[in-house]
Amino acid sequence: MSTIKIGALVDGRYRINARIGHGGMAEVYEANDIINKRKVAIKMIREDVMMNPINLRRFQNEATIASSLSHPNIVKVFNHGTIEGRPYIANEYVKGQNMKEMLDFRTSIPIAEAVGYMTQLTSALFYAHQHNIIHRDIKPQNIYVMPDGTIKLGDFGIAQADGVDDGLTKPSEIVGSVHYLAPEISQGKPASIQSDIYSAGVTFFELLTGHVPFEKDTPVNVAVAHVKEKFPSVKKYLPSCPKEIEKIIAKATKKRLSERYKGADEFYEDLLELNKNPNVLKEKKPFLARLFGFK
């Protein structure tokens, strides 16, 4: 059985309405939960992917880890199980686009809006970290933006319990997306909550500028740049960026852990401070634009 038929009843409670997406690991269906009378997203591992036991464990890992978390900015897992030997996860139905799709369409995000998204993201991260969960794959593709501006962090497939070797990655294997990868991970060191903070800092940079910090020709060169090259200032692409925001991004993306935010709560608190100063969140126009009144 490669796909589920529309109209099928899964596990005696989920009526499949439509296939709404498919990725490297899974197929996603919209379904009605006939017991709780709500719409859900059923994520089911692809049959070809399941042949690899590591993939199977990653999928099961996501189900177990994500179902233990309950936060307004994290995609809620309601249930998980298996159908004909294939694991599935019943998620909260998220009606929105991911942040990467939003960026592709809008190229960059205004300061006040980006700060709002990052405040929610750091709140979600702090909550996950308090529950000893490191996400390990923070990037715009894994953050969903609802029509009302709420964000939801999803895709805990490679998340791990802090301090626990889950056996899903060999020491030499790098997981996560290279553009958002903390330098210590590229060097083969274990992920920590500060690795998530680095990835969140890169995400903030990309929201404001529409660029990732290191645009190189190969993944290896990107990873090397994260380790060896100076992290660019956000002013490279956004000269009008307030210094307060430049400082926050710089602190989140320090190469040395001792200089980086220790916890997502510190990152969150600094973002909250920005909200208290509305002048910082206004787009500053360059001098000539102010003088002649053009954008």
Side-chain angles (χ1 to χ4, degrees), residues 251-270:
K251 188 164 184 182
T253 55
K254 287 286 187 205
K255 297 196 190 307
R256 287 191 182 159
L257 293 176
S258 58
E259 296 172 4
R260 202 180 301 163
Y261 285 117
K262 298 286 175 290
D265 53 331
E266 293 179 11
F267 195 163
Y268 172 79
E269 293 294 340
D270 280 358

Side-chain angles (χ1 to χ4, degrees), residues 70-81:
S70 180
H71 184 279
N73 300 119
I74 293 176
V75 175
K76 181 76 190 128
V77 169
F78 295 128
N79 198 358
H80 52 96

Side-chain angles (χ1 to χ4, degrees), residues 208-281:
L208 293 171
T209 66
H211 293 266
V212 286
F214 301 112
E215 294 172 320
K216 307 284 180 186
D217 52 352
T218 67
V220 168
N221 288 343
V222 174
V224 169
H226 277 291
V227 175
K228 297 194 166 166
E229 287 186 28
K230 187 172 169 22
F231 197 94
S233 164
V234 70
K235 286 183 182 287
K236 176 181 171 184
Y237 299 106
L238 188 67
S240 62
C241 183
K243 63 181 186 306
E244 294 88 339
I245 288 178
E246 188 185 18
K247 269 188 194 158
I248 288 174
I249 292 174
K251 188 164 184 182
T253 55
K254 287 286 187 205
K255 297 196 190 307
R256 287 191 182 159
L257 293 176
S258 58
E259 296 172 4
R260 202 180 301 163
Y261 285 117
K262 298 286 175 290
D265 53 331
E266 293 179 11
F267 195 163
Y268 172 79
E269 293 294 340
D270 280 358
L271 290 165
L272 280 188
E273 279 302 308
L274 292 179
N275 286 315
K276 292 178 189 167
N277 184 355
N279 289 333
V280 171
L281 301 180

Side-chain angles (χ1 to χ4, degrees), residues 58-70 74-77 80 89 127-128 131-135 155-162 166 168:
R58 278 192 181 150
F59 191 85
Q60 289 164 331
N61 182 58
E62 174 174 10
T64 318
I65 281 184
S67 61
S68 70
L69 300 175
S70 180
I74 293 176
V75 175
K76 181 76 190 128
V77 169
H80 52 96
I89 303 172
Y127 172 86
H131 289 76
N132 290 326
I133 302 301
I134 304 167
H135 187 284
D155 296 275
F156 281 78
I158 60 169
Q160 74 178 72
D162 196 6
D166 53 17
L168 292 178

